[in-house]
Amino acid sequence: MKKIFGAKKSKDPPPSIQDATERINKRGESVDDKIKKLDEELGRYKEQIRKTRPGPSQDAIKARAIRLLKHKRMYEEQRNMLYNQTYNLDQVAFAADGLKDAQQTMNAMKAANKELKGMMKTVKIEDIDNMQDEMTDLMDVSNEIQESLGRSYNIPDDVDEEELMGELDALEADMEFESSAVPSYLQPDKESDFDAELNLPAAPTAPAAVPVSRQQVDELGLPAVPRASIRS
């Protein structure tokens, strides 16, 4: 059957935007080259027109120059058209790139959404609330334990602070009364206490002089020598 009807030819893939842009740019370069050549010829004709005198020969040169100008304008129109096509292809390529980026972003967001859903299945808000409640209870129990361990022994709980202050005032009054009841000569001397605090030695005292009338004298009127000294 293939020999009779022939095999179906495979279609070539459609050109991409980049291929079309490159092909148009090549055409634009060829048109630019043609315009450059026409400019060179027009320059030679312009020099010939300047050198020749008015007449049939100058008119023939001008006619050739006008034909070249027409060709140049035609090529310039083609070049402008190619530039417009390139501009349109660039816009399409920019839009296509934007759509590709958007598609990739959407695929990434879908994957992230799927992953988040899988993670949310393992994490429940009820479990978090229960854990927070348990932590609060544990902290309360810990505070109660610390308070119980820091409690002092043999101190009644129902102690009135005003009553304690009254007892303290009464104790101070008793101490003042006892200090006033002790005689002044029995009270410690402030100066001696001050000297004791400074740890100073006692000042030396000179021996009391014995009056001459009371001293024993010998027969010569001199002080008598003690007998102990005589024996010695």
Side-chain angles (χ1 to χ4, degrees):
M1 297 294 292
K2 291 182 179 180
K3 293 180 180 180
I4 297 173
F5 297 101
K8 185 177 181 181
K9 295 181 180 180
S10 60
K11 294 182 180 180
D12 295 332
S16 62
I17 297 175
Q18 186 176 0
D19 296 337
T21 303
E22 290 177 356
R23 186 172 61 253
I24 292 173
N25 289 331
K26 289 180 181 179
R27 287 178 59 190
E29 291 175 358
S30 64
V31 173
D32 289 334
D33 293 337
K34 292 179 181 179
I35 292 173
K36 187 182 293 185
K37 291 179 181 179
L38 291 175
D39 288 334
E40 293 175 358
E41 291 181 4
L42 286 173
R44 289 196 297 269
Y45 287 148
K46 183 178 180 180
E47 187 67 21
Q48 291 176 5
I49 292 171
R50 188 176 63 82
K51 291 180 179 180
T52 57
R53 296 179 179 180
S57 59
Q58 189 179 23
D59 293 338
I61 295 172
K62 288 182 178 179
R64 293 176 184 174
I66 290 171
R67 287 197 297 270
L68 290 178
L69 285 174
K70 289 181 179 179
H71 285 287
K72 181 181 177 181
R73 288 186 178 179
M74 180 185 67
Y75 288 137
E76 287 177 350
E77 291 178 356
Q78 290 181 359
R79 185 182 61 183
N80 293 332
M81 182 179 64
L82 292 174
Y83 285 164
N84 291 330
Q85 291 179 2
T86 304
Y87 177 73
N88 293 332
L89 288 174
D90 291 338
Q91 284 186 335
V92 173
F94 181 76
D97 292 337
L99 290 175
K100 289 180 180 178
D101 295 338
Q103 187 177 6
Q104 291 180 356
T105 304
M106 185 176 64
N107 292 332
M109 292 180 69
K110 285 182 178 180
N113 188 17
K114 184 178 180 180
E115 186 177 358
L116 285 174
K117 286 181 178 179
M119 294 173 63
M120 291 301 293
K121 290 180 180 178
T122 59
V123 178
K124 295 181 180 180
I125 191 65
E126 295 178 356
D127 296 338
I128 296 175
D129 292 336
N130 294 331
M131 182 182 67
Q132 292 290 341
D133 295 337
E134 290 179 358
M135 290 296 295
T136 303
D137 295 338
L138 290 174
M139 292 301 294
D140 293 338
V141 173
S142 177
N143 293 330
E144 291 179 359
I145 292 172
Q146 295 297 327
E147 291 177 357
S148 178
L149 293 175
R151 185 176 56 189
S152 300
Y153 299 102
N154 297 327
I155 295 179
D157 296 334
D158 55 350
V159 177
D160 191 1
E161 293 184 359
E162 295 181 357
E163 184 178 354
L164 293 177
M165 292 299 294
E167 292 181 3
L168 181 61
D169 295 338
L171 182 60
E172 292 179 355
D174 293 339
M175 292 175 65
E176 291 177 358
F177 177 75
E178 291 177 358
S179 61
S180 62
V182 177
S184 60
Y185 63 87
L186 294 179
Q187 294 181 1
D189 190 2
K190 295 182 179 179
E191 294 181 358
S192 61
D193 293 342
F194 181 73
D195 293 339
E197 290 178 359
L198 294 179
N199 295 323
L200 295 176
T205 57
V210 180
V212 179
S213 59
R214 294 183 181 179
Q215 293 180 357
Q216 294 179 2
V217 295
D218 56 4
E219 62 275 5
L220 295 178
L222 297 174
V225 179
R227 294 181 180 180
S229 61
I230 293 173
R231 292 176 182 176
S232 62

